[in-house]
Amino acid sequence: MDLIQGIGLWLVVINLVTLALYGLDKKRAKSGQWRISEQTLLLAAFAGGGAGALTGMELFRHKTRKPAFRILVPVSIGLWVVILAVAVWKTGGTL
């Protein structure tokens, strides 16, 4: 497995995990249970799960009113676009 494939695999896994975290947090919010911290949700987005976070925000209608999430989740996606572009450029690879 080369670098680009490794990054791709990581992004698939972390986005699925992040989507699940947003769904779980929304479920817990509705039932008054212990919640996943906002810091953890944003960390998951910046670890590569931005697309999962954005999908979870829309799908579950969760954290959509919070300015930090409305700004930082798209920023996390942009960051990973840059990381992936640099990795492709440095390795001379293609997507």
Side-chain angles (χ1 to χ4, degrees):
M1 178 181 307
D2 67 11
L3 177 64
I4 304 304
Q5 290 172 329
I7 292 172
L9 179 60
W10 169 253
L11 291 175
V12 168
V13 171
I14 192 64
N15 275 288
L16 290 172
V17 168
T18 302
L19 178 61
L21 286 174
Y22 275 71
L24 180 61
D25 191 50
K26 179 65 175 195
K27 181 180 177 185
R28 288 179 173 179
K30 285 183 168 183
S31 62
Q33 295 178 339
W34 171 85
R35 303 278 305 279
I36 297 167
S37 73
E38 290 184 353
Q39 183 179 10
T40 299
L41 294 173
L42 287 171
L43 181 62
F46 275 92
L54 190 59
T55 302
M57 288 172 66
E58 294 300 319
L59 183 64
F60 304 117
R61 298 285 185 246
H62 192 50
K63 302 293 184 188
T64 56
R65 293 183 185 179
K66 298 263 184 173
F69 284 82
R70 291 178 54 180
I71 294 167
L72 293 175
V73 169
V75 167
S76 73
I77 294 170
L79 173 69
W80 277 92
V81 167
V82 170
I83 289 169
L84 189 54
V86 169
V88 168
W89 175 60
K90 288 287 190 179
T91 61
T94 59
L95 296 177

